[in-house]
């Protein structure tokens, strides 16, 4: 693997009052990827981002960004890091373009009107540059947040729940924007509790719960490893038991024998193949079924299963 852009080891955060928001987080982010951090409310996503973006002081562990220790090189490193925070925050009476300029200045970057124009145009905000923020729709306000985070050309961009409370159309629009940033070489870490967002956008997915990372892998590998096929074969007349010729498959009977349920496979197509085999065997043996209903598990099913797994450690 090429040098990681971000390497987090053993990160801990206990807030005053005793809430342990991060409990030994190890996470490595690759240059140029879109990484989705999935987790329910209170999992520690914002705390983790805050630790990298200098808003939360960790109580343990190490963060290296661009190969350097973040706590020792914060001043130089912060220029390469951008954050679109979860909460909208700006001066509502200020003009769009001024807010974006101001953000750039905050990072100690020299004024650069060409760059500001480029950022505003890329987010379709150029026409709104002289509007005051309060005149904008919710979606446009979100875009201004992104413009502010991009004004200083960060190489590593965090988006904390970028599409929370945003309607479907705007969400898709946002995804296109994020994709365009990746095309330009920006490494992106986004947090979300919309599984669909991770499924659509991410190269890799990490699942966090109660301050611990439960799983990190390529999205496709997660689907392959944890994906399942479920099929329901229905019958008019109930079966007395599972036919001998089908004993090797993972099957059980439900609904008084009128529904034969298959659960198996691994997301690589094995499940579908087995379902087809089962249908062939039954047809050959004259076991008449009236219907087959098949579905593949989604990232959402996998996520729910993971969060419901009994904890290994107390
Ligand atoms: N400033 C804070 N002071 C005390 N507790 C906090 C603070 N911020 C977050 N927490 C707590 O830390 C845990 C993780 O919160 P957070 O990182 O915001 O999770 P997420 O972003 O995944 O919803 C939660 O239990 C939350 O209540
Ligand atoms: Mg959060």
């Amino acid at each position: 693997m090429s040098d990681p852009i971000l390497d987090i080891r053993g990160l801990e955060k206990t807030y005053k009052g005793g809430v342990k928001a991060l409990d030994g987080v190890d996470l490595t982010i690759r240059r140029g990827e879109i990484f989705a951090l999935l987790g329910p409310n209170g999992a520690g996503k914002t705390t983790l981002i805050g630790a990298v973006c200098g808003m939360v002081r960790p109580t343990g562990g190490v963060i290296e960004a661009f190969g350097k220790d973040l706590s020792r090189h914060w001043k130089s490193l912060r220029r390469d890091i951008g954050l679109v925070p979860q909460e909208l925050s700006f001066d509502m009476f200020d003009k769009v373009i001024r807010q974006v300029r101001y953000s750039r200045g905050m990072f100690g970057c020299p004024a650069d009107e060409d760059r500001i124009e480029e950022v505003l145009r890329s987010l379709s905000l150029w026409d709104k540059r002289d509007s005051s923020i309060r005149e904008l729709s919710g979606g446009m306000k979100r875009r201004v947040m992104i413009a502010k985070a991009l004004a200083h050309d960060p190489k590593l961009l965090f988006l904390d729940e970028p599409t929370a409370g945003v309607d479907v159309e705007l969400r898709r629009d946002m995804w296109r924007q994020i994709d365009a940033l990746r095309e330009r070489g920006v490494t992106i870490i986004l947090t979300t509790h919309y599984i669909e967002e991770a499924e659509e956008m991410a190269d890799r997915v990490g699942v966090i719960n109660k301050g611990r990372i439960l799983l990190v892998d390529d999205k496709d590998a997660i689907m392959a490893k944890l994906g399942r096929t479920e099929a329901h074969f229905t019958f008019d007349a109930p079966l007395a038991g599972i036919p001998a010729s089908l004993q090797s498959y993972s099957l059980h009977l439900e609904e008084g024998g009128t529904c034969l349920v298959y659960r198996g496979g691994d997301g690589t197509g094995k499940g579908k193949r087995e379902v087809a085999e089962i249908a062939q065997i039954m047809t050959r043996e004259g076991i008449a079924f009236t219907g087959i209903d098949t579905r593949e598990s989604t990232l959402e099913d996998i996520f729910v299963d993971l969060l419901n797994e009994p904890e290994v450690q107390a």
Side-chain angles (χ1 to χ4, degrees), residues 248-268:
S248 64
Y249 296 100
S250 139
L251 291 165
H252 67 272
L253 283 169
E254 284 181 6
E255 309 201 12
T258 59
C259 182
L260 182 67
V261 177
Y262 167 88
R263 272 197 203 94
D266 50 11
T268 64

Side-chain angles (χ1 to χ4, degrees), residues 40-47 86-87 160-161 191:
N41 275 328
K45 303 181 295 296
T46 298
T47 303
Q86 190 170 357
E87 308 290 337
D160 197 0
E161 313 247 358
T191 73

Side-chain angles (χ1 to χ4, degrees), residues 46 119 124 130 225:
T46 298
V119 167
S124 310
D130 291 320
K225 253 187 271 176

Side-chain angles (χ1 to χ4, degrees), residues 2-21:
S2 62
D3 286 347
I5 200 162
L6 183 65
D7 192 14
I8 296 172
R9 293 189 300 272
L11 197 67
E12 308 215 345
K13 174 64 185 181
T14 305
Y15 283 106
K16 288 195 189 86
V19 176
K20 194 161 201 177

